[in-house]
Amino acid sequence: MPQASSNKTGSSRDIGIDLGTANTLVYARGHGIVLNEPSVVAVRAGTTAAVAVGTEAKETIGRTPGSITAIRPLQGGVICDYEAAEEMIRHFVRKAVPGRRPRTRMVVCVPSGVTPVERRAIIHASTRAGAKAVHLIEEPMAAAIGAGLPVSEPRGSMVVDIGGGTTEVAVISLGGIVTSRSLRVGGDRLDAAIIDYVRKEHSLLIGERTAEDIKCAIGSAWPVPGSPELEERTFTVRGREKVAGMPKTLELTAYDVRSALDEPVEAIIAAVRTTLEECPPELSGDVMEYGIVLTGGGALLPGLELRLASATGIPVFVAENPLDCVALGSGKCVEDMDTLNSLLSPAK
Ligand code: ADP
Ligand code: MG
């Protein structure tokens, strides 16, 4: 085991990275979450030169001139553009840990579906960004740790992490993932469902960013009894009329958006059901007793926990700060490398 720095004042450069399909977060030892930006790289067309990364690059999506393309290096839980991914990791690490990084150890959270080739690519990119040692940890494990679940105990805990590109469902016990399932349905698919709905029902063309805005403003998975005002909310959408191509305005209701989201929401519920069916009976008994915990940005969709609870008959809870759970879980490993060593697969 390499020398662990006991310095908590900040000279230690150990970091945890949540490499999400939508957002990347960096946790620095002794400091907490120091960076939280969209996983987007803007490159000049025909080259690999990044002109902007993160927040600045996301601003350009859908608005780029022909000469600049906004790339999301991770899609559907896998790296679809290695060079952009490497550039992004390098940029974020430099930004989060300025100055020299002589002995940086990194704990990088990766979607559970990544292939050995992708694992190597992430390790390579992290090394080029200055890491002296890289450990990979599976996202559902990090999410569960970050949500405060007792992952090391002989007790089944179920976590459902709904990110941008994927939903990861996992049952964890004794520090390991017992059963898991990764499906390529996440926030992006919800956005796509809204785009389809508006096109089919109202012949209006809208972009991804507008769809995401609609989802976050008035989206829901189930009527929420505690907030009847949500039902009355509407969203004024501006887009382009499909046939005439002219700008057009439309008023969408919360009910419209809920119907639009129905299919992908059902897919998430079906994945939870299947994972429960595959789970050893003692552990599913624990899940029935202690409930299911939702993490990731998708957990913020109002009514999702109610709908999932109704479909499974199991209590469902949304983690505190669901968007931060994976980064906080990686942070816990970084702060406490020794006790959590058993959870990590040494990658280098
Ligand atoms: P990833 O881990 O893939 O980077 P995140 O956990 O950061 O993903 O979640 C990002 C997703 O959460 C995006 O698809 C975003 O639209 C969605 N999201 C964020 N806030 C909300 C909200 N209030 N309601 C519904 N979805 C949300
Ligand atoms: Mg995530």
Side-chain angles (χ1 to χ4, degrees):
M1 170 102 212
Q3 273 283 289
S5 164
S6 57
N7 190 339
K8 295 237 171 187
T9 61
S11 63
S12 157
R13 300 297 196 181
D14 297 340
I15 58 174
I17 305 179
D18 165 13
L19 198 57
T21 57
N23 300 296
T24 298
L25 283 75
V26 179
Y27 182 108
R29 183 175 181 174
H31 293 268
I33 294 171
V34 292
L35 181 140
N36 179 355
E37 295 197 30
S39 307
V40 180
V41 181
V43 297
R44 203 168 294 286
T47 74
T48 52
V51 289
V53 180
T55 309
E56 210 187 321
K58 185 168 182 180
E59 298 298 319
T60 64
I61 286 190
R63 295 208 177 88
T64 50
S67 58
I68 295 173
T69 338
I71 296 175
R72 287 177 58 184
L74 284 92
Q75 274 182 22
V78 297
I79 298 181
C80 60
D81 187 320
Y82 288 96
E83 276 166 0
E86 187 174 319
E87 181 63 35
M88 188 176 82
I89 295 173
R90 207 167 34 219
H91 176 92
F92 286 149
V93 169
R94 289 201 176 136
K95 192 165 173 184
V97 190
R100 289 183 61 232
R101 290 166 291 276
R103 278 202 314 275
T104 303
R105 287 180 303 177
M106 293 187 198
V107 174
V108 186
C109 305
V110 293
S112 53
V114 299
T115 63
V117 172
E118 287 169 340
R119 292 173 78 92
R120 279 201 295 278
I122 293 168
I123 293 163
H124 180 72
S126 310
T127 309
R128 295 220 3 201
K132 284 293 163 286
V134 184
H135 297 276
L136 302 186
I137 175 172
E138 288 188 298
E139 256 166 13
M141 179 60 81
I145 296 171
L149 292 174
V151 295
S152 312
E153 284 175 25
R155 179 187 121 181
S157 299
M158 181 181 256
V159 64
V160 180
D161 181 68
I162 308 164
T166 54
T167 293
E168 310 248 347
V169 186
V171 176
I172 292 167
S173 175
L174 285 170
I177 293 178
V178 182
T179 12
S180 72
R181 180 164 286 266
S182 171
L183 78 156
R184 293 187 177 195
V185 175
D188 296 341
R189 270 288 283 280
L190 300 183
D191 302 345
I194 295 176
I195 294 176
D196 285 351
Y197 177 92
V198 172
R199 194 187 60 233
K200 286 193 192 121
E201 300 292 321
H202 301 282
S203 303
L204 190 70
L205 304 176
I206 58 168
E208 285 167 23
R209 294 214 45 194
T210 305
E212 188 179 17
D213 289 346
I214 297 169
K215 174 184 72 179
C216 293
I218 62 165
S220 62
W222 190 258
V224 185
S227 54
E229 71 280 2
L230 177 69
E231 291 305 302
E232 276 141 42
R233 261 186 244 165
T234 58
F235 194 101
T236 308
V237 194
R238 285 183 196 83
R240 192 158 50 85
E241 210 276 325
K242 201 165 80 183
V243 183
M246 295 301 285
K248 178 178 151 182
T249 303
L250 170 78
E251 196 88 349
L252 277 182
T253 65
Y255 179 82
D256 291 331
V257 181
R258 190 158 60 237
S259 355
L261 299 180
D262 194 58
E263 200 190 307
V265 165
E266 270 307 315
I268 293 172
I269 290 171
V272 173
R273 278 219 188 94
T274 317
T275 314
L276 279 168
E277 281 161 21
E278 287 169 353
C279 181
E282 282 80 9
L283 298 183
S284 56
D286 292 340
V287 175
M288 295 222 44
E289 187 175 345
Y290 297 104
I292 299 170
V293 172
L294 304 184
T295 64
L300 292 167
L301 187 70
L304 185 59
E305 77 281 23
L306 299 175
R307 183 154 167 187
L308 188 57
S310 148
T312 56
I314 298 176
V316 182
F317 308 96
V318 177
E320 210 178 308
N321 305 320
L323 283 159
D324 295 348
C325 286
V326 172
L328 292 175
S330 74
K332 191 112 191 275
C333 298
V334 162
E335 298 285 359
D336 199 4
M337 284 259 188
D338 296 340
T339 54
L340 287 159
N341 243 351
S342 56
L343 301 174
L344 302 169
S345 48
K348 182 175 170 266

